Amino acid sequence: MVNGQPTKALVGERLIDALQRTLGGTKSEVPHVCYLPQLGPIQTCDTCFVEVNGELARACAAKVESDARIVTESTRARNAQKEGFDRILGNHLLYCTVCDNNNGNCTVHNTTALLEVEHQEHPFLPKPYEKDETNPFYRYDPDQCILCGRCVQACQDYQVNETLSINWEDPHPRVQWDGGHTIGGSSCVSCGHCITVCPCNALMEKSMLGEAGYLTNWPAKPLEQMIDLVKAIEPEMGYGPILKVSETEAAMRETRTTRTKTVCTYCGVGCSFDIWTKPDSRHILKVEPSQGAANDISTCVKGKFGWDYVNAPDRLQVPLIRNPDGETFREASWEEALTLIGSKMGQIKQEYGPDALGFIASSKTTNEENYLMQKLARAVVGTNNVDNCSRYCQSPATQGLFRTVGYGGDSGSIHDIGKASCVICIGTNTTESHPVLATRVKQAHKLRGQKLIVADIREHEMARRADIFFQPTPGTDIIWLTAMTKYILDSGLAKMDFIERWVNKLEEFRAESSWATMEFAAEKCGISIEELTRIARIIAAEESVCILWAMGVTQHVMGSDTSTAISNLLLATGNYMRPGTGAYPLRGHNNVQGASDFGCMPNMFPGYEHTDDEAAHERYEQGWGAKLQKEKGLDNHQMIDAVYDGKLRCIYLFGEDMYSADSNANHVAGGFERLDFFVVQDIFFSATCRFADVVLPASPSLEKEGTFTNTERRIQRLYEVFEPLGESRPDWRIIQDIANRLGAKWNYKHPSEIMHEAASLAPLFAGVRYDRLEGYKTLQWPVAIDGTDQPLLYTTGFPLPDNKAQFHPLKYRHPIEVEDDEFDLHLNNGRLLEHFHEGNMTYRVPGIKEETPDRWVEVSPELAKLHNLTTGQWVDITSRRATLRVPVLITDRVKGNQMFIPLNSPDAPVNLLTGSDVDDVTHTPAYKELAVKMKVLPWKGENPLKAINFRNGHPTPQNGVEVERKWKRADYRMPGLDPELVQISIGNGHNGNGAGKMKR
């Protein structure tokens, strides 16, 4: 019963959720300030008191009980609510009309109105602290902070960066970073969680300040005078009339604030959120996550703050054509550029045949644009020479899954990873490469006891958090994985009921894995037999296991085989077909999954149907009205070799800085220089553009519509935030223009028409329609024609013969490039959290560049001691191909003779050093197999790690906001009744286990 009315609710759900569902928007609505469903009960604000069976209780912490009697409108409940909220107002200077956060969504403002507060009993008292402006993206104002603890709860238990806390024992509590450090230089990673959940203006994006309101851009002095005026008239007028003015002003802001949903353009997690902009400018006010299927309220520094590149002054805005001098470019009209492209491509096709042209698509562009690129290659030009950058990172993972379970994608959703009893991370620096996904693992590990096992050669954050962390010899993952699988099978630990029902080729696997003994693994991997055996038994005993892996696995000559070994281990332990199980190759770019899904591969149509499959071939020939080749084309690695051989004469590349991204960059550059004609389409004049004959100005994701597919196979819509800058155009329009110059008669008016065509031809996407993806709705392939999707794969079998998965036998292959007497050091490489790959976008974000302007080489303390190195010393790192000059950063993240260089490159890419060795199956470069030597230079510079960089910080882990410490303060009492008449039963307040009831 709620206020005397029968009400339906689920026993055990939070009472506040049931009451909001029942009473939301009515006068009986229960106010709450600190509570957010994602964060759980924090219990600091004391505004959600209701009567439960005659006793006062916090609705956020209480659970629904059968036949309970709930009263929200009693005098006791309302008095408790108002008393709790009045104390909040004592911490907050209420000046809504001239506040940039007065946008209709300020919890403090709205609760003031809901409770009809006219005057506050606890006067506002300024805190003895200055505003903290030391972070480049946001500021903290202690005088506006109500100490609700949302930011702390989000940082500690949701994002699990564990930077924020509240010094409850201090006479003047405040939110602290690393226990009292300034924000800049603390362990804050600028993920923005704290700002997203802040219920007022205490934490705000600097991009909002002075921009959102009509009066908020006034100078500080007049603003202060206006605030003083409002506070002076409040005792006589009350808050009611003042709030009416602020609500009117907030409504007026609606005409000058546009909120557009988009999908992040950085990593493969697929975060979605609203972009707030001012319609009369290209100014981004803020990024607000709220309901993204993959990320919910989460962001990372790039998704929250990394959008300045869209308005960078060096954006390409007009087509460029190389001058006859061969060195410079001139601006051209679209007509001239397209005419030249059509003429040159047509001429090369006529003289040398269609296979003299190659097409390289982009993992940064939309599904629809990638679909058109491969259609241009196949249906217009007549070649299967088409590929995308998944060749550099994820193709081996896809191959390993094709071999064993049939689909080249994640087994389930990101939420499934959080459900696993054990997560294994192999060759993935997840917290920096896929930060929002990493939060789900960190949450489960910290709050729900999930076991975390990490295998990597470098000790990153996930390794330091792990229950088990081991460091195999570089390039030996295939050995320990196969040895553990064999051990589990031979020791009777395998899930034989699962194998007998669902898996083929067990005996073939046994027969061909005899080499994979624990003794051999211990010798080659540098891990003891006892440790390998212990880990194998733990994995076999776990109820549900997910394995996450990334470039540390795939970028080896045995990348496909190691990925296969991962899936073999999962099959042996029965870890498919259930929530919380399966294979999760973490896709690196925002649409690296979609680029392959929609056919940008030399041997596959959209939906992973082979070009030589008769049924698929006939279907696409009929659908496109063109004669198509069946033979496999060239991948991007083979294209460069074909240029040297004189077989490939022209490349059309879009959205990819191939010179910086491909291995052996000098070899790639030489290939580009030999081309008869080279077209590059991008948003900036990248290093690759230097070799082009024509450069076309494309539009980034905020200037187009379409869809991206994230690492969990989730297809999501993005909407146009800005019109294309200058004369730049969305890629799909440019590709269509080029196709029509080559004789096609395409007439797509909108990306939805392209998706409709793709879905009509590819069974994997049969039910994908834009109306089913409206707003924040998503679909995870395969999608049946009725729109039914499959968040969890393989629930009824595997898309292989007999509806069964299969073990795939493997042979050991050692790394090709290893250390020797001359090149005696191993160089690893990878991403940094704040930068994306080479930094083409992130170096154009001033705040990111301020924090991390340069790269460095990480050197172990023992190696530094051997060479008498200090941090900041310059060294030359030389491979068998090139030399890079970088400063040293001494750190225990690397060990022995192993070093690490981040991929971000303000000058020369790290791939100048890498070789041309590749995975035999997919031709993915072996970026992680790199032997180098180091020359110590006499120059000693500054620490390359800037003082404000988060890596200098020291987190302060705790369990959420630790509200019990607040309750122990001498000046705290529960609101609602005279303390002498109240018996307080606090219970365990953390995570909502105690409702904080009061009895007479």
Side-chain angles (χ1 to χ4, degrees), residues 349 354-355 357 359 370-387 595-607 609-612 617 620-621 624-634 746:
K349 176 183 176 182
D355 288 335
L357 291 88
F359 299 82
N370 282 290
Y371 174 85
L372 287 191
M373 189 64 156
Q374 59 88 37
K375 183 181 178 182
L376 166 62
R378 293 186 164 110
V380 180
V381 174
T383 182
N384 283 326
N385 294 343
V386 60
D387 205 7
S596 295
D597 290 348
F598 282 83
C600 290
M601 303 176 75
N603 62 332
M604 290 185 178
F605 290 121
E609 294 184 285
H610 286 268
T611 54
D612 60 359
H617 189 266
Y620 277 94
E621 282 196 334
W624 289 341
K627 188 70 176 175
L628 305 177
Q629 284 198 36
K630 291 184 179 180
E631 295 77 16
K632 178 182 178 181
L634 301 176
W746 296 356

Side-chain angles (χ1 to χ4, degrees), residues 629-900:
Q629 284 198 36
K630 291 184 179 180
E631 295 77 16
K632 178 182 178 181
L634 301 176
D635 59 44
N636 47 23
H637 179 80
Q638 293 170 317
M639 288 183 200
I640 298 301
D641 290 341
V643 175
Y644 280 95
D645 294 338
K647 297 177 181 178
L648 197 74
R649 301 280 178 160
C650 171
I651 289 178
Y652 173 27
L653 176 154
F654 81 112
E656 192 67 51
D657 186 6
M658 189 169 170
Y659 168 79
S660 298
D662 204 348
S663 63
N664 200 348
N666 286 326
H667 179 71
V668 174
F672 289 160
E673 290 173 338
R674 287 168 169 77
L675 286 167
D676 293 353
F677 192 61
F678 187 23
V679 180
V680 177
Q681 186 171 303
D682 213 324
I683 62 175
F684 297 111
F685 195 89
S686 68
T688 300
C689 291
R690 295 178 301 170
F691 305 97
D693 295 289
V694 180
V695 178
L696 300 177
S699 300
S701 62
L702 294 192
E703 296 174 4
K704 65 175 78 170
E705 297 204 359
T707 61
F708 291 151
T709 304
N710 76 341
T711 189
E712 53 180 354
R713 302 172 285 104
R714 188 182 300 278
I715 304 171
Q716 303 182 88
R717 280 188 68 176
L718 53 143
Y719 296 81
E720 182 182 283
V721 177
F722 301 122
E723 291 185 358
L725 189 65
E727 295 181 32
S728 66
R729 297 178 178 178
D731 293 278
W732 68 269
R733 283 190 56 199
I734 303 173
I735 297 168
Q736 175 166 264
D737 288 339
I738 291 175
N740 288 340
R741 295 292 172 136
L742 293 171
K745 297 181 180 178
W746 296 356
N747 190 31
Y748 302 104
K749 303 294 185 184
H750 189 268
S752 59
E753 299 173 7
I754 304 170
M755 178 60 80
H756 179 77
E757 177 180 305
S760 71
L761 293 171
L764 200 69
F765 315 119
V768 178
R769 299 198 317 242
Y770 265 42
D771 62 316
R772 289 173 175 162
L773 298 170
E774 191 72 30
Y776 281 86
K777 292 188 291 187
T778 71
L779 293 168
Q780 290 173 266
W781 63 253
V783 184
I785 197 167
D786 64 357
T788 304
D789 66 345
Q790 292 189 34
L792 180 65
L793 292 178
Y794 317 126
T795 55
T796 59
F798 298 85
L800 289 170
D802 300 332
N803 203 33
K804 290 185 177 183
Q806 57 190 26
F807 285 108
H808 187 91
L810 298 168
K811 294 181 179 180
Y812 169 58
R813 180 185 179 189
H814 59 76
I816 287 182
E817 182 163 318
V818 295
E819 298 86 78
D820 58 20
D821 290 341
E822 181 181 4
F823 297 94
D824 58 337
L825 305 173
H826 178 274
L827 183 64
N828 190 12
N829 57 78
R831 294 188 195 148
L832 294 182
L833 169 68
E834 61 271 39
H835 278 294
F836 193 75
H837 281 276
E838 301 81 27
N840 283 340
M841 296 184 292
T842 49
Y843 269 114
R844 291 172 170 89
V845 179
I848 291 177
K849 188 175 181 180
E850 177 187 352
E851 184 168 280
T852 310
D854 302 303
R855 65 179 167 194
W856 52 77
V857 57
E858 291 186 357
V859 174
S860 68
E862 51 267 43
L863 188 61
K865 183 178 180 180
L866 181 65
H867 291 274
N868 196 28
L869 285 171
T870 58
T871 287
Q873 181 127 24
W874 285 82
V875 295
D876 279 347
I877 305 296
T878 301
S879 73
R880 294 178 172 92
R881 287 152 293 276
T883 296
L884 288 182
R885 183 161 291 175
V886 288
V888 163
L889 177 66
I890 299 173
T891 173
D892 60 1
R893 285 190 287 269
V894 290
K895 70 173 187 177
N897 69 341
Q898 298 174 17
M899 301 188 297
F900 174 86

Side-chain angles (χ1 to χ4, degrees), residues 103-351:
N103 300 291
N105 59 351
C106 176
T107 304
V108 173
H109 174 284
N110 296 343
T111 306
T112 304
L114 177 65
L115 289 174
E116 299 178 334
V117 176
E118 290 296 334
H119 307 284
Q120 60 187 85
E121 294 182 15
H122 292 79
F124 168 72
L125 295 176
K127 303 181 185 74
Y129 310 113
E130 298 294 324
K131 293 180 184 178
D132 192 331
E133 306 269 3
T134 58
N135 183 278
F137 302 110
Y138 72 96
R139 68 100 177 98
Y140 171 60
D141 185 350
D143 272 350
Q144 296 303 97
C145 180
I146 61 174
L147 300 175
C148 66
R150 277 190 188 182
C151 59
V152 175
Q153 194 82 6
C155 185
Q156 289 286 343
D157 287 357
Y158 197 81
Q159 204 276 344
V160 199
N161 202 58
E162 301 174 320
T163 299
L164 301 187
S165 60
I166 295 177
N167 57 336
W168 291 116
E169 291 73 26
D170 195 277
H172 303 282
R174 61 157 290 172
V175 175
Q176 294 184 326
W177 279 253
D178 287 1
H181 201 284
T182 57
I183 303 174
S186 75
S187 60
C188 171
V189 294
S190 301
C191 65
H193 281 67
C194 58
I195 309 162
T196 296
V197 302
C198 182
C200 58
N201 62 338
L203 288 159
M204 285 198 69
E205 302 89 343
K206 290 182 176 178
S207 55
M208 282 280 284
L209 300 176
E211 295 284 351
Y214 279 85
L215 305 174
T216 55
N217 62 346
W218 282 22
K221 191 64 176 176
L223 273 179
E224 291 172 4
Q225 292 172 344
M226 186 175 294
I227 294 169
D228 290 341
L229 174 64
V230 172
K231 302 308 289 184
I233 63 175
E234 178 267 324
E236 182 177 344
M237 294 184 62
Y239 281 134
I242 296 173
L243 291 182
K244 291 297 182 185
V245 174
S246 68
E247 289 165 3
T248 301
E249 199 265 352
M252 292 169 61
R253 294 185 190 185
E254 292 294 323
T255 63
R256 56 186 282 167
T257 304
T258 301
R259 305 174 191 184
T260 310
K261 184 250 183 175
T262 194
V263 180
C264 189
T265 190
Y266 285 105
C267 81
V269 173
C271 297
S272 54
F273 30 66
D274 284 346
I275 304 277
W276 288 36
T277 56
K278 298 175 73 170
D280 57 345
S281 75
R282 292 176 63 91
H283 178 75
I284 295 175
L285 290 166
K286 70 172 179 175
V287 168
E288 184 178 62
S290 61
Q291 51 184 313
N295 62 302
D296 197 45
I297 60 171
S298 294
T299 45
C300 77
V301 58
K302 298 183 294 293
K304 182 75 172 177
F305 300 112
W307 297 93
D308 297 273
Y309 74 89
V310 173
N311 295 318
D314 60 342
R315 273 279 305 275
L316 288 171
Q317 298 188 47
V318 293
L320 303 174
I321 294 177
R322 184 179 293 276
N323 284 315
D325 63 12
E327 299 294 330
T328 59
F329 291 82
R330 64 176 175 85
E331 294 185 354
S333 68
W334 274 103
E335 177 63 26
E336 181 185 8
L338 292 170
T339 298
L340 177 61
I341 293 169
S343 172
K344 288 288 189 179
M345 283 187 171
Q347 180 182 343
I348 292 171
K349 176 183 176 182
Q350 183 176 7
E351 186 172 351

Side-chain angles (χ1 to χ4, degrees), residues 45 47 95 173 196 231 307 353 372 415 462 564 610 647 711 924 978:
C45 73
T47 58
Y95 55 85
T196 296
K231 302 308 289 184
W307 297 93
L372 287 191
H415 295 292
M462 294 301 273
T564 305
H610 286 268
K647 297 177 181 178
T711 189
T924 296
D978 188 285

